Amino acid sequence: MSKSFAVIGDPIDHSLSPNIHSAAFREMNLDSSYIAYRIPKGELEEGIEGLKKIKIDGFNITIPHKIEMMKYLDKIDESCSLIGAVNTVTNTNGILKGYNTDMDGFLEPFKKKKLNIANTKVLLLGAGGAARAIVAGFAKEKASSITIANRTLENAKNLSEFAKKIRLNANAIKIEEVKDTAKNFDIIVNATSVGLKDESSPISLEGINEKTIVYDIVYIPINTDFIKKAKEKNAIIIYGYEMLLGQAVRAFEIWHDMEAPYSAMKKALLGGF
């Protein structure tokens, strides 16, 4: 029996999720399809009703709906409950269950590269839906502390309170306050959307070195200005596509209850750039 899946968000044209999942379906001989479906901010409820009407089997959620989508779920799993944001949904006879695969997807490159998180000092840029999953991942892997820098200080403070609740030392600052303090951190993560449109790096990376881990969750372009500046300092690089691939693999496994074809999905993803 044919199954259908989608990714929803706005903007959505740049999404590589259809490439990744379609390749996985072909590799595993599954009669399934996957499309990108634009739902503008403020129209989520109507969009979800539309997906239910066509009896979609599951869907991914990206910016700007990861937090608001929580209101329209009938069930949530533990990851969703902890993070307070959702990026993967199953639809079983009209019952929507939410999951969050962002945390596992975010941590996967650290594991693959055998990079240690325990006892590190982290600088996180941004405080949106993906940022909560990232904070949860650092708490799980026992980072020493996290500094959350955001344009809106209140959002950074809210996220730092969340971090403290899950036993991760945290403080909040405005992104302008980072200045030349990047060198004080072992891991620096860009979880803002800065870079999507080829903008300049959100912060200066003066003072970092070859031991600093620099991770940009923006995946188009692969080499954002943030990544280019990190490369100039010979830092350890983790690309946004690595997180995208990690969370897609987990979503595939939730939907199909089988091991995902990692190599085929990676090949399709990198072929999309």
Side-chain angles (χ1 to χ4, degrees), residues 7-12 37-40 60-65:
V7 57
I8 65 169
D10 188 22
I12 202 68
Y37 179 44
R38 178 175 170 263
I39 300 179
N60 291 125
I61 301 107
T62 186
I63 292 169
H65 302 309

Side-chain angles (χ1 to χ4, degrees), residues 6 8 16 36 47-48 62 68 71 73 94 111 122 131 150 152 154 180 184-185 194 203 215 239 248 251 259 265 273:
I8 65 169
L16 293 174
I48 297 306
T62 186
E68 192 191 351
K71 294 192 289 194
L73 298 172
K111 292 171 182 174
V122 177
N150 196 53
T152 309
E154 187 182 356
D180 297 325
N184 298 334
F185 299 94
V194 173
I203 61 164
Y215 193 150
Y239 296 99
E259 188 176 341
M265 293 171 85
F273 289 106

Side-chain angles (χ1 to χ4, degrees), residues 4-236:
S4 58
F5 301 90
V7 57
I8 65 169
D10 188 22
I12 202 68
D13 293 346
H14 72 283
S15 177
L16 293 174
S17 293
N19 297 23
I20 304 169
H21 286 282
S22 296
F25 300 157
R26 286 193 299 272
E27 183 72 16
M28 304 305 284
N29 293 312
L30 297 171
D31 184 10
S32 298
S33 62
Y34 189 108
I35 62 163
Y37 179 44
R38 178 175 170 263
I39 300 179
K41 193 170 186 178
E43 296 179 23
L44 182 59
E45 188 171 10
E46 299 94 317
I48 297 306
E49 285 308 311
L51 289 172
K52 280 180 162 182
K53 277 177 188 166
I54 64 166
K55 297 185 177 173
I56 196 125
D57 292 277
F59 53 96
N60 291 125
I61 301 107
T62 186
I63 292 169
H65 302 309
K66 288 186 179 187
I67 295 172
E68 192 191 351
M69 183 65 213
M70 293 286 288
K71 294 192 289 194
Y72 305 108
L73 298 172
D74 302 295
K75 298 178 179 178
I76 55 173
D77 94 323
E78 211 175 313
S79 63
C80 223
S81 175
L82 169 69
I83 296 162
V86 57
N87 78 329
T88 301
V89 173
T90 57
N91 179 17
T92 310
N93 300 319
I95 303 297
L96 301 184
K97 183 173 181 181
Y99 302 79
N100 194 307
T101 69
D102 278 338
M103 182 177 78
D104 289 340
F106 176 76
L107 293 175
E108 187 65 21
F110 286 97
K111 292 171 182 174
K112 282 200 173 301
K113 297 171 194 283
K114 296 184 169 57
L115 297 172
N116 182 54
I117 291 174
N119 303 315
T120 55
K121 290 175 70 178
V122 177
L123 172 62
L124 174 61
L125 311 174
R132 285 178 71 88
I134 290 165
V135 168
F138 281 125
K140 182 184 176 187
E141 296 299 318
K142 297 185 167 45
S144 168
S145 65
I146 190 163
T147 295
I148 299 156
N150 196 53
R151 281 181 305 180
T152 309
L153 185 59
E154 187 182 356
N155 292 351
K157 284 180 176 175
N158 290 341
L159 191 56
S160 70
E161 288 306 311
F162 166 71
K164 289 169 190 171
K165 280 179 190 168
I166 56 174
R167 300 182 180 178
L168 175 58
N169 291 326
N171 70 302
I173 61 172
K174 289 200 75 165
I175 206 159
E176 297 82 1
E177 292 178 54
V178 176
K179 293 181 182 170
D180 297 325
T181 60
K183 62 181 179 291
N184 298 334
F185 299 94
D186 305 299
I187 302 173
I188 303 170
V189 180
N190 176 36
T192 73
S193 60
V194 173
L196 264 177
K197 296 174 183 172
D198 256 344
E199 300 107 322
S200 298
S201 172
I203 61 164
S204 162
L205 291 174
E206 279 306 309
I208 69 166
N209 57 42
E210 69 281 355
K211 291 181 181 175
T212 311
I213 299 168
V214 175
Y215 193 150
D216 195 342
I217 73 166
V218 170
Y219 59 85
I220 296 177
I222 291 182
N223 285 297
T224 58
D225 188 58
F226 182 68
I227 289 290
K228 287 175 187 170
K229 283 184 164 51
K231 282 183 173 178
E232 287 169 9
K233 304 293 183 183
N234 296 315
I236 299 163

